[in-house]
Amino acid sequence: QVQLVESGGGLVQAGGSLRLSCAASGRAFSVYNMGWFRQAPGKEREFVAAASRSGGSTLYADSVKGRFTISRDNAKNTVYLQMNSLKPEDTAVYYCAADSAIRLHTTVGAYDYWGQGTQVTVSS
């Protein structure tokens, strides 16, 4: 089992940047693929980005491709989401999640463990 705690959310103006962090504890961090998801009010939780165990493979939602970057530091048991050129439509609660499967997934149901979320608000 792994416990996940997100941080780094906040209020930012459109065009600005934020870096989210997700610290993991418990079972060895490096055995999990890691993902970031987000959920806006009244909407379903949606995939944002995922990174493989080594960080060598990544996936991104089309809506964030070229603006967001996922990375991980296995020595620090932490995964990051660097968010640049933020837009008001990026406003949501952002969650990190851990997946013990072999390949990268983009669906909510594929992930085994979830953090509590961190709020990101982008003002226009």
Side-chain angles (χ1 to χ4, degrees):
Q1 191 169 359
V2 63
Q3 292 78 42
L4 304 172
V5 179
E6 302 96 334
S7 61
L11 174 64
V12 64
Q13 288 188 332
S17 298
L18 280 175
R19 188 176 83 153
L20 306 183
S21 299
C22 173
S25 61
R27 190 181 174 192
F29 177 67
S30 60
V31 305
Y32 296 100
N33 294 325
M34 297 299 297
W36 285 98
F37 289 75
R38 66 186 181 186
Q39 187 166 18
K43 295 188 176 181
E44 294 187 350
R45 194 169 298 188
E46 64 175 6
F47 171 75
V48 175
S52 63
R53 289 166 174 77
S54 67
S57 295
T58 57
L59 290 176
Y60 294 94
D62 288 343
S63 59
V64 306
K65 203 171 293 183
R67 299 188 298 123
F68 291 11
T69 302
I70 187 171
S71 62
R72 63 189 294 166
D73 185 338
N74 287 347
K76 296 182 178 179
N77 290 353
T78 302
V79 61
Y80 305 97
L81 186 68
Q82 177 67 44
M83 305 186 295
N84 299 328
S85 303
L86 283 161
K87 305 175 181 180
E89 52 264 42
D90 294 318
T91 296
V93 176
Y94 283 70
Y95 299 88
C96 72
D99 176 14
S100 58
I102 298 299
R103 66 181 182 90
L104 288 178
H105 289 112
T106 63
T107 56
V108 171
Y111 285 77
D112 304 302
Y113 304 102
W114 293 83
Q116 83 290 346
T118 185
Q119 176 71 48
V120 171
T121 303
V122 184
S123 63
S124 57

